[in-house]
Amino acid sequence: MRVLGIETSCDETGLALYDGQQGLIGHVLHSQVALHAHYGGVVPELASRDHIRAVLPLLRDLLQSSGVEAATIRGVAYTAGPGLLGALLVGATIGRSLAWTWGIPAIGVHHMEGHLLSPLLEPDAPTFPFLALLVSGGHTLLIEVRAIGQYRLLGESVDDAVGEAFDKTAKLLGLPYPGGPALAQLAEHGDPHRFTFPRPMTDRPGLDFSFSGLKTCAITFWRSTAQTEADRADIARAFEEAVVDTLAIKCQRAMEATGLKTLVVAGGVGANRRLRHHLQHLGKQQGWQVHYPRPLFCTDNGAMIAYVGYQRLQDTRLSALPDRYDLRIQVRARWPLDESPIGIIR
Ligand code: KG4
Ligand code: ZN
């Protein structure tokens, strides 16, 4: 079975084809970074308009480059939320319309389930069960994954998501959008010993996170310096060290609490080199298997949506859900994972 995936929840237009026998057979991505850079952040209306321009040409490219006939596609999966409402509506409307035209089911996918399962697209895919650290611009979650659709939430951020903390701190330091990668790049040149940031919520039991205090800490340090390029890099480095350390401490705690031996890291911040390196190193010490998607599949992409769509179509428990041939287009800007059709076990 072959499924088309469409991702348009924020500032990347991603399309991909996943095939049950052949795996991922093609993926294309159009980034809107240049479009939003001038404004220092994503402008929702511009994002929607750009998705409209991009989706169909990308679909043509995808079909051509993978040599696939549209008639062989058996389902269309699109991101139904969470994300920017207008942007989601573009992918949902086009996805729903294509499915209607082709006479096949359409599946609205939860964006975070896409991130959660993205490491399974890789050739050295992890085996169940595993612990997933999901770190993106909107979420920071620790989830025990028993199987596809069997998720137990162990911890989450009580305030800013970790990607959001990267982006806000980058902005405070005067770095250009997109802030996370810019801050990470700058941190490479920073002195890790000059400033020390706290490791929030690590001094008490529990698996929740809090990252909003780190940006306040960054601005306090920044104001105490002469604000040179070296000061900026040193603060960026100290911030990144604190984030990586905090995530690692909570991962270790969760691995010990669950007895799991496989750790999976996904979501945009999973592309962070220091985080990848640190968890890999910790994993070696602890005897864990550590898995990541390739950096391109850490950030938003169509492949993860096609993959979830494929899994959903395979799932007999869900074959009775009414929305597959329902022509209403429903998207959700906010969508807790536990309200998705599969749901999360608390
Ligand atoms: O998963 P994603 O592409 O979109 C959401 O679903 O949110 O994640 C985007 C987030 C942004 O906050 C971005 O700054 C962050 O991931 N990010 C990074 C890096 N690459 C992307 N943060 C730190 N280091 C990176 N290399
Ligand atoms: Zn995402």
Side-chain angles (χ1 to χ4, degrees):
M1 184 195 301
R2 196 167 272 179
V3 177
L4 169 68
I6 304 177
E7 156 63 35
T8 64
S9 68
C10 190
D11 56 352
E12 321 268 2
T13 322
L15 273 80
L17 284 164
Y18 187 85
D19 182 284
Q21 248 111 57
Q22 296 165 263
L24 187 66
I25 47 178
H27 63 94
V28 286
L29 190 76
H30 162 72
S31 168
Q32 300 182 352
V33 162
L35 178 70
H36 302 293
H38 176 68
Y39 303 94
V42 179
V43 183
E45 181 57 25
L46 294 183
S48 313
R49 290 175 193 212
D50 202 52
H51 287 307
I52 293 175
R53 281 190 288 269
V55 173
L56 290 178
L58 280 175
L59 175 61
R60 247 175 253 129
D61 286 355
L62 176 66
L63 293 176
Q64 213 161 50
S65 60
S66 54
V68 164
E69 290 287 333
T72 63
I73 298 172
R74 295 283 172 266
V76 181
Y78 59 86
T79 305
L84 301 171
L85 206 59
L88 288 166
L89 273 171
V90 176
T93 308
I94 297 177
R96 179 64 271 180
S97 307
L98 286 170
W100 182 78
T101 312
W102 293 335
I104 56 179
I107 309 111
V109 168
H110 194 293
H111 181 79
M112 295 314 290
E113 191 179 13
H115 278 304
L116 184 69
L117 300 184
S118 58
L120 299 175
L121 286 163
E122 300 301 344
D124 64 336
T127 50
F128 299 112
F130 56 75
L131 177 77
L133 172 68
L134 217 56
V135 276
S136 75
H139 296 80
T140 306
L141 306 169
L142 271 171
I143 298 176
E144 182 181 349
V145 180
R146 295 251 134 228
I148 286 172
Q150 286 186 32
Y151 313 129
R152 188 160 71 98
L153 183 64
L154 303 176
E156 63 188 324
S157 178
V158 297
D159 44 50
D160 290 355
V162 65
E164 189 180 357
F166 262 98
D167 295 338
K168 286 179 175 170
T169 303
K171 208 163 192 171
L172 289 171
L173 294 175
L175 295 173
Y177 157 87
L183 190 146
Q185 208 176 357
L186 185 66
E188 295 288 318
H189 314 291
D191 174 356
H193 305 296
R194 179 157 163 223
F195 298 105
T196 306
F197 280 54
R199 275 56 176 158
M201 293 179 74
T202 54
D203 57 351
R204 64 186 100 154
L207 295 170
D208 285 339
F209 304 91
S210 164
F211 290 107
S212 71
L214 292 182
K215 64 176 186 292
T216 318
C217 187
I219 197 71
T220 310
F221 279 134
W222 180 234
R223 287 188 180 139
S224 74
T225 67
Q227 306 192 347
T228 64
E229 215 29 51
D231 295 330
R232 203 194 306 267
D234 293 347
I235 292 172
R237 178 62 182 267
F239 168 87
E240 195 184 49
E241 293 275 350
V243 167
V244 168
D245 233 19
T246 304
L247 292 173
I249 291 168
K250 296 285 168 137
C251 282
Q252 179 153 10
R253 226 176 248 181
M255 293 294 273
E256 282 165 7
T258 54
L260 293 169
K261 292 281 170 224
T262 306
L263 173 67
V264 159
V265 185
V269 185
N272 183 275
R273 279 182 52 200
R274 198 170 308 283
L275 179 66
R276 292 170 87 95
H277 185 261
H278 190 103
L279 290 178
Q280 203 75 51
H281 184 72
L282 182 64
K284 238 184 214 149
Q285 276 179 352
Q286 302 290 327
W288 312 332
Q289 297 252 19
V290 182
H291 291 261
Y292 305 90
R294 68 195 86 166
L296 180 67
F297 291 165
C298 280
T299 46
D300 294 346
N301 63 84
M304 63 185 194
I305 304 304
Y307 183 73
V308 176
Y310 168 79
Q311 295 296 343
R312 206 60 8 111
L313 280 174
Q314 295 286 93
D315 191 331
T316 47
R317 287 177 304 157
L318 291 174
S319 57
L321 278 184
D323 65 333
R324 295 194 167 183
Y325 295 94
D326 181 345
L327 295 185
R328 277 176 305 177
I329 290 159
Q330 289 176 318
V331 293
R332 292 182 64 174
R334 298 176 68 82
W335 187 7
L337 243 182
D338 55 358
E339 289 173 21
S340 85
I342 283 283
I344 208 158
I345 317 150
R346 283 189 187 261

